[in-house]
């Protein structure tokens, strides 16, 4: 299926603006940052094995600021909980913190890497 911004199927979503491919449905599990990275590295989805935890800018790129609770297009990303999601972007103010995005509001915050949050994995498809 396609809308003006995304192409998607049962498992994956491709952002037509950025070219990034996203995990459409997320795990209900919560992870610390290292466990989130391991989850992404072991994810096999849509025939791909190169999934990873997104950067802060990448994850913020799918926030829909016209929506709240959750702040995302729920047709494209159904069942997205209004929770925190990890990024791999470190917090410059602390070596023990990384950024998370809150899909209740679409804002980002720094969390201790031992805290638990959800993860939505991403991959960068090869360029033609």
């Amino acid at each position: 299926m396609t809308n003006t911004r995304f192409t998607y199927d049962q498992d994956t979503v491709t952002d037509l603006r950025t070219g990034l491919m996203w995990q459409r449905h997320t795990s209900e599990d919560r992870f610390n940052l290292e466990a989130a990275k391991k989850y992404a590295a072991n994810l096999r989805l849509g025939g791909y094995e190169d999934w990873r935890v997104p950067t802060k800018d990448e994850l913020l790129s799918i926030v829909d600021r016209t929506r709240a609770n959750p702040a995302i297009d729920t047709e494209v990303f159904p069942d997205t909980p209004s929770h925190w999601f990890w990024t791999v972007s470190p917090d410059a103010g602390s070596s023990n913190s990384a950024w998370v995005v809150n899909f209740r509001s679409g804002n980002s915050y720094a969390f201790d890497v031992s805290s638990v949050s959800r993860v939505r994995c991403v991959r960068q498809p090869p360029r033609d």
Side-chain angles (χ1 to χ4, degrees):
M1 293 176 264
T2 302
N3 68 19
T4 58
R5 167 95 190 261
F6 300 103
T7 298
Y8 54 100
D9 60 28
Q10 183 61 35
D11 297 323
T12 64
V13 175
T14 300
D15 185 332
L16 300 173
R17 282 189 207 154
T18 65
L20 294 171
M21 181 179 283
W22 293 93
Q23 175 185 19
R24 187 167 188 220
H25 301 277
T26 61
S27 169
E28 291 184 18
D29 295 331
R30 295 174 191 206
F31 309 91
N32 65 33
L33 183 55
E34 281 308 308
K37 290 177 184 179
K38 287 178 186 174
Y39 167 81
N42 291 317
L43 184 63
R44 305 297 178 253
L45 185 66
Y48 302 102
E49 299 180 0
D50 57 346
W51 296 95
R52 61 182 172 77
V53 177
T55 66
K56 177 183 167 189
D57 288 341
E58 288 170 340
L59 193 55
L60 284 170
S61 76
I62 61 171
V63 167
D64 184 341
R65 298 218 180 261
T66 67
R67 302 170 190 246
N69 202 23
I72 195 167
D73 185 331
T74 55
E75 177 185 326
V76 177
F77 297 99
D79 307 317
T80 298
S82 296
H83 291 282
W84 306 97
F85 284 77
W86 279 116
T87 79
V88 293
S89 299
D91 174 23
S94 170
S95 61
N96 293 325
S97 297
W99 288 93
V100 292
V101 173
N102 179 343
F103 276 90
R104 176 177 300 276
S105 63
N107 293 325
S108 58
Y109 302 89
F111 266 18
D112 186 287
V113 296
S114 64
S115 299
V116 293
S117 290
R118 295 183 180 251
V119 64
R120 169 166 270 128
C121 300
V122 69
R123 63 180 295 276
Q124 180 68 55
R127 299 284 181 208
D128 292 337

